[in-house]
Amino acid sequence: MKKIIIIVLLLFSASMFAQMYNPVKWSTSVEKVSDKEYILKAQAKIQSGWHLYGQYIEEGGPSRTAFTFKNPNKNFELIGKTTEEKGHEVVDKIFDMKIKYFEDKALFTQKIKFTSDNISNIEGEVEFMVCDDSNCLPPTSEELAFKIPTEKKLATTEETAIVKEDSTIAKTEEKAVVQTEEKAIKPVVSSPKKGESRGLLTIFILAFLSGFAALLTPCVFPMIPMTVSYFTKQSKTKAAGIRNAMIYGFSIVIIYVLLGSIVTAIFGADSLNALSTNVWFNLIFFILLVVFACSFLGAFEIMLPNALANKVDSQADKGGLIGIFFMALALAIVSFSCTGPIVGTLLVEVASKGGIAPIVGMLGFSIAIALPFSLFAAFPGWLNALPKSGGWLNTVKVVLGFLELALAFKFLSNADLVLQLHWLEREVFLAIWIAVFGMLAFYLFGKITLPHDSPLNHISVGRLGFGLIVLSFTIYLIPGLWGAPLKLISGFPPPMQYSESPNGLGVSGNSELKITGSLPEGAEHGPQNIITFHDYDKGMEYAKKVGKPVLLDFTGYACVNCRKMEELVWSDPKVLGVLNNDVVLISLYVDDKKELPESEQYVSETTGKKIKTIGNKWSDLQIKTYKANAQPFYVIVDHNSANLTVPSAYNPNIEEYYGWLQSGIKSFKK
């Protein structure tokens, strides 16, 4: 009885968790160009958070959008190719290629010319694939109908809807969406808003640390005691001095946040994100960061015009709130030679995030700058604990210069990836970073001196400790030249595939499985070289033979998030150990285009569509059994195909995914 109750609860939980998606709606229209020429328009309305891939994507990437038209050259002929809007272009690190996609809506047009007057309707079909941050749906096809106006000479445009739509699946999806909006449990998928909040919090923290670094430069640090002393001496009471210092700090925040707002207003919140993959954007900021780095290393000073500084300084003498604000502005201008490169680098980084990221970044940076002035004004005695100004301040500048130089090559790498020039492959990038951080280590150990350095008679403990950290990091980078994954800097170097030796020079990962032991019948080496079945029945038969539970992996060749899970989560030693030893993995590719034998083709009871390919078969199995159509989708089942735990979707949290695997295995052993 207890087991029956558990099974019922698991099935109920699975039905609550799973959901059907239908994020794209198509409509058609026809525009008249001349008596014989028309433009067929197919408009895709895309649900918020999802994106539709473009038509022109290289082989090996996500499934592209493709249009076909029935009976061309009989009553009409196609003029040119189907065109599409601009969309968004990114370099996808998983597929290692440039990918174009659309958000919210997409318009596709095809120009035609009639060769016959007896035509009133043109039929077509679109095959497409959509993904969001957590799910990818298998390639789907929809039939389109373009109604030609009866009075060709009078009509110009007529909106129509799709004439043939699968009503069964539409009703199923609509019902599932209503249920999941009200009560669905989604324990492993984070919401976009939470992800966005975490991203902005990360930007704020990094910007705050950047502001703290700017505070420790020779242009800003000496200003702290001078400014605090001014407020405490010029104010009639201690309370007035603290108030003026607080206003001064608040003015600093306003100035930098205003700068972030201007950047957002000029470029636009949405277009900033598109800049991150623009070749010219990356090349310009590579040059800009190199200039900033040279300035910090002592080649020259970057300063705003003296006339501007003098004019602002004269306004600061007026006193009152306006005078205090101009004092803060004067600090920003005078310290620009130190803060400018940091602010510029920060704006470059946050600009690629889009939205309000520049404002959040400047808020974090300015708070770090303003906070000490307010705190030391409130507690003047703390000034005695401040270290004296000296050569160590220039050391901070030089360290920042080396870091700017290393970061600059990330932008050059982005441009190289977009153009696919293979000039800055992974090994070259890492060699440059090893050289940069190696020179930084030599500098910290006093083996290299730069133009503005003071004579170094001895090395402080702090400088020695930081030098050892940099040297350790440099040594850590070296194995990357021979294929080490270097997870600490994941995302900075080019991907492993963009390399002179994509598979590394030695044996790594789970490759020993290829050497030892023979594969079971019907199995092959899958992601991370895990023994994997692609046939449901053969995998189940093997699981019964070895007495292990089954991990069903509903995946796709073009599923971006599936590759992320396989590369970032399945590669973890704990997870990899479970997948190798404790479960039988059956990976079912829903976009497999191989046709089923004629005798095995059938019409789906759930969708009413004809199941022609292997991918159709596995997609139909997922929809029918689990009421879900998104990938990746993982289910742990016993030998009777009964769920052992609640299904899991995309979950990049390694500990949570490992715990989920263990819960299914424990249920199997009971």
Side-chain angles (χ1 to χ4, degrees), residues 504-521:
L505 299 181
V507 178
S508 60
N510 198 32
S511 58
E512 66 269 18
L513 291 176
K514 293 183 176 179
I515 302 172
T516 62
S518 58
L519 287 171
E521 183 182 355

Side-chain angles (χ1 to χ4, degrees), residues 11-82:
L11 290 174
F12 177 74
S13 299
S15 65
M16 293 281 286
F17 169 79
Q19 58 178 310
M20 298 290 295
Y21 296 96
N22 187 26
V24 180
K25 300 292 184 183
W26 291 90
S27 62
T28 62
S29 62
V30 179
E31 179 181 338
K32 181 179 179 181
V33 178
S34 65
D35 289 341
K36 292 290 185 180
E37 294 182 342
Y38 287 77
I39 295 177
L40 309 181
K41 296 183 178 181
Q43 177 85 43
K45 186 177 181 182
I46 308 165
Q47 188 176 320
S48 178
W50 292 81
H51 50 266
L52 171 74
Y53 292 106
Q55 298 178 94
Y56 308 107
I57 296 177
E58 298 176 20
E59 291 294 333
S63 292
R64 67 191 76 173
T65 299
F67 289 87
T68 56
F69 299 91
K70 295 182 180 179
N71 301 321
N73 303 323
K74 184 178 180 182
N75 296 315
F76 67 94
E77 60 182 27
L78 303 178
I79 302 177
K81 296 181 179 180
T82 304

